[in-house]
Amino acid sequence: METSGRRRGAGLMRGLVEEIAAHLSDAIIEGEMHPGQPIVEVELQRALGVSRAPLREALLKLEGQGLVKIIPRKGTFVRPITPRLIREMFTIRAWLEGLAARLAVERQGPALAEPLEAILAEMGSLVERNDFKSYFYRHWDFHWVFIEGSGNAALMERIGIMRRESLWLSYSITYFAHHHHASQATHRGILQLFRRAGPSEVELAVRAHILDATDRYVGFLKEAYPELSDAQ
């Protein structure tokens, strides 16, 4: 009975840690907590109504996901976003998502085009409504179709973590508001490749798309948010 009680307690603790981590992750990605912002644990404990132990575990989890940075004797901070970080993360993502696209075509062929086309149509409708927050999420869904279609669980997990590391919603909403025409045109081209091209061609196209988007994204951020610096 005592062992069973300990297991239940450990399970409750894990559940609470996951809940806290999800709440803070959403706050970071949604832009409610800003890059470089210090995380004051005492204030969070009070705001969330939790003790120090599960909060600490949640912050360690977020550090593993690349969303916060814990500096000994200084504190915990929302991870700063810098042009260098974006370039490094997007470069790795380009190769991993290109691989995912290749594997997806090898497994499913042109069948992937149907869900991609439906999502792309929704992205166009969202542009007409100036709803670029939803556009951001549907853009992610477009990529996730072939990432998930790869059938490679380890690859899916790694890409998911890296996407959360390198994209903050508040910046991306503004970016897509200015660059949605290029975004839609590129994704239409990728859709056509999924209809008719072989695995190698699709892999190269997805990789090139992400690398090209990196240059536009970094250039936009440097102009729109000059406070973002590689010196951070």
Side-chain angles (χ1 to χ4, degrees), residues 13 108 111 158 205:
M13 175 70 166
Q108 300 186 40
R158 175 49 52 191

Side-chain angles (χ1 to χ4, degrees), residues 1 3 16 22 33 53 55 59 96 105 167 173 175 183 188:
M1 291 293 290
T3 300
L16 181 57
M33 300 175 71
L55 177 58
L59 291 174
L96 294 183
V105 172
L167 285 177
I173 289 175
Y175 170 77
S183 170
R188 277 194 295 271

Side-chain angles (χ1 to χ4, degrees), residues 16 20 44-55:
L16 181 57
I20 296 169
L44 270 181
Q45 286 177 236
R46 189 161 50 243
L48 300 177
V50 298
S51 63
R52 185 172 182 265
L55 177 58

Side-chain angles (χ1 to χ4, degrees), residues 17-171:
V17 169
E18 293 292 334
E19 185 178 340
I20 296 169
H23 174 82
L24 295 177
S25 174
D26 288 344
I28 293 169
I29 292 171
E30 294 276 346
E32 296 172 16
M33 300 175 71
H34 304 291
Q37 177 180 330
I39 296 175
V40 183
E41 293 186 24
V42 174
E43 292 180 2
L44 270 181
Q45 286 177 236
R46 189 161 50 243
L48 300 177
V50 298
S51 63
R52 185 172 182 265
L55 177 58
R56 272 294 175 89
E57 288 293 325
L59 291 174
L60 287 170
K61 183 178 179 68
L62 293 182
E63 184 180 42
Q65 294 175 351
L67 291 177
V68 306
K69 189 174 184 65
I70 299 174
I71 303 175
R73 296 183 296 280
K74 289 188 177 180
T76 302
F77 303 83
V78 178
R79 187 176 184 180
I81 182 171
T82 67
R84 178 177 177 176
L85 172 65
I86 293 168
R87 287 194 182 281
E88 290 176 351
M89 292 298 181
F90 274 54
T91 298
I92 298 171
R93 271 189 47 216
W95 288 83
L96 294 183
E97 291 194 30
L99 174 59
R102 179 190 187 96
L103 296 175
V105 172
E106 290 175 347
R107 291 181 72 237
Q108 300 186 40
L112 286 165
E114 184 175 347
L116 292 174
E117 184 174 25
I119 293 171
L120 190 56
E122 289 183 44
M123 289 165 64
S125 298
L126 291 168
V127 167
E128 293 176 1
R129 300 201 296 270
N130 290 317
D131 185 356
F132 291 103
K133 178 177 180 179
S134 297
Y135 183 97
F136 167 85
Y137 285 116
R138 292 309 277 157
H139 172 268
W140 164 229
D141 291 339
F142 184 97
H143 283 249
W144 191 252
V145 168
F146 58 80
I147 293 167
E148 187 174 40
S150 72
N152 188 311
L155 186 59
M156 283 186 271
E157 180 180 11
R158 175 49 52 191
I159 293 172
I161 291 172
M162 294 198 71
R163 288 189 69 93
R164 292 174 74 83
E165 286 179 344
S166 57
L167 285 177
W168 274 265
L169 183 61
S170 56
Y171 297 121

